[in-house]
Amino acid sequence: MNKILIGLLVIVLGFVVFGNFLSNDQDGGAKWIGIGILILTFVVMPLFLYSRFRNKATRDRMFNFDLKKIKEPENQ
């Protein structure tokens, strides 16, 4: 999964760099940058989150306010 994510990240960076290169000469550069950002947002980010949290319990991902409360000292 890590190799897929790295490959997709290289592709996204390629789109953005190619778009920046084209934006200096023509008007089509913004389209390539947009495609790269869309792939990053809707493909790479969900795959990354899935790979990070696939073997974790739901309780580990949730913020629990009960565990984070500051306890009062017992001697006061």
Side-chain angles (χ1 to χ4, degrees), residues 7-26:
L8 285 172
L9 190 60
V10 168
I11 290 171
V12 166
L13 289 175
F15 275 130
V16 171
V17 169
F18 182 67
N20 281 329
F21 178 72
L22 282 183
S23 68
N24 293 335
D25 298 333
Q26 300 170 351

Side-chain angles (χ1 to χ4, degrees), residues 1 5 45-62:
M1 183 65 94
L5 286 172
M45 185 63 70
L47 284 176
F48 172 74
L49 292 174
Y50 173 75
S51 70
R52 287 289 291 171
F53 296 114
R54 120 181 101 194
N55 295 328
K56 305 255 184 189
T58 306
R59 281 247 185 250
D60 296 339
R61 293 183 295 215
M62 292 173 30

